[in-house]
């Protein structure tokens, strides 16, 4: 699969969601046209209760960004990539977001930074912001095509 065309890997992002509203999650984000997956690298916030991702079986000693690059490179279809990421994240709804389930989603910008915001019915929401402006531009370009 080709990063930026079939999927988009953002290696350095800050994520938040309604399940843990007082916590910022340093993360990698993998986007497909139908989903986005937040893969935590570490979290900070008022409560340091956090389920660590059991990535050793997938990444074999690689860092999380290196492991995700490897998964994207070795995967042949978007469906296969989504299945691998769901397994990696143990189907945890705090980290897996399907656009089909969203009431609303949009990408907004402020001072060159982009943020994707996803809202479900009721009070459920999630957002992430790529740290670099280049990744923000790539995010907009990926979802506009």
């Amino acid at each position: 699969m080709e990063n930026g065309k079939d999927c988009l890997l953002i290696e350095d992002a800050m994520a938040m969601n309604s399940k843990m509203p007082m916590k910022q999650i340093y993360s990698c984000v993998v986007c497909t046209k139908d989903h986005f997956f937040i893969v935590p690298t570490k979290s900070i916030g008022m409560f340091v209760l956090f389920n660590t991702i059991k990535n050793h079986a997938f990444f074999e000693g690689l860092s999380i960004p290196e492991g995700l690059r490897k998964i994207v490179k070795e995967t042949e279809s978007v469906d296969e990539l989504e299945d691998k990421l769901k397994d990696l994240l143990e189907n945890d709804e705090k980290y897996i977001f399907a656009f089909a389930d969203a009431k609303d989603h949009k990408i907004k910008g402020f001072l060159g930074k982009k943020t994707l915001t996803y809202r479900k019915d009721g009070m459920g929401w999630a957002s992430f912001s790529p740290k670099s402006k280049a990744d923000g531009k790539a995010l907009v370009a990926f979802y506009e095509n």
Side-chain angles (χ1 to χ4, degrees):
M1 291 193 26
E2 187 178 336
N3 188 27
K5 182 180 174 195
D6 304 311
C7 66
L8 179 66
L9 171 60
I10 299 170
E11 294 185 16
D12 195 10
M14 185 69 71
M16 296 179 75
N17 67 51
S18 59
K19 304 271 186 209
M20 303 176 289
M22 302 302 288
K23 190 177 287 191
Q24 295 178 324
I25 306 165
Y26 290 95
S27 54
C28 295
V29 179
V30 180
C31 302
T32 65
K33 296 295 184 181
D34 298 327
H35 290 81
F36 68 93
F37 303 85
I38 296 173
V39 183
T41 54
K42 68 178 180 175
S43 66
I44 59 172
M46 292 181 65
F47 305 102
V48 191
L49 301 172
F50 187 69
N51 298 336
T52 54
I53 300 299
K54 296 173 181 67
N55 58 31
H56 57 278
F58 285 86
F59 296 165
E60 298 169 8
L62 301 174
S63 70
I64 291 173
E66 290 168 340
L68 290 172
R69 268 187 255 132
K70 180 180 175 192
I71 288 174
V72 167
K73 183 179 170 187
E74 294 175 353
T75 304
E76 295 184 21
S77 72
V78 173
D79 289 337
E80 183 184 351
L81 176 64
E82 289 175 350
D83 289 342
K84 284 182 178 183
L85 291 168
K86 287 174 185 175
D87 286 345
L88 173 70
L89 296 167
E90 299 173 340
N91 285 311
D92 192 332
E93 66 182 23
K94 291 190 303 274
Y95 309 116
I96 301 169
F97 302 91
F99 290 119
D101 298 338
K103 182 177 97 175
D104 182 34
H105 67 279
K106 57 184 131 200
I107 299 172
K108 289 187 176 181
F110 181 72
L111 298 175
K113 291 278 193 178
K114 302 293 182 194
T115 301
L116 186 147
T117 305
Y118 168 100
R119 296 194 182 283
K120 287 180 91 170
D121 289 335
M123 300 296 290
W125 59 271
S127 69
F128 73 88
S129 301
K131 292 257 183 135
S132 78
K133 289 182 182 180
D135 283 343
K137 287 179 182 178
L139 177 67
V140 170
F142 180 74
Y143 282 116
E144 283 182 349
N145 292 335

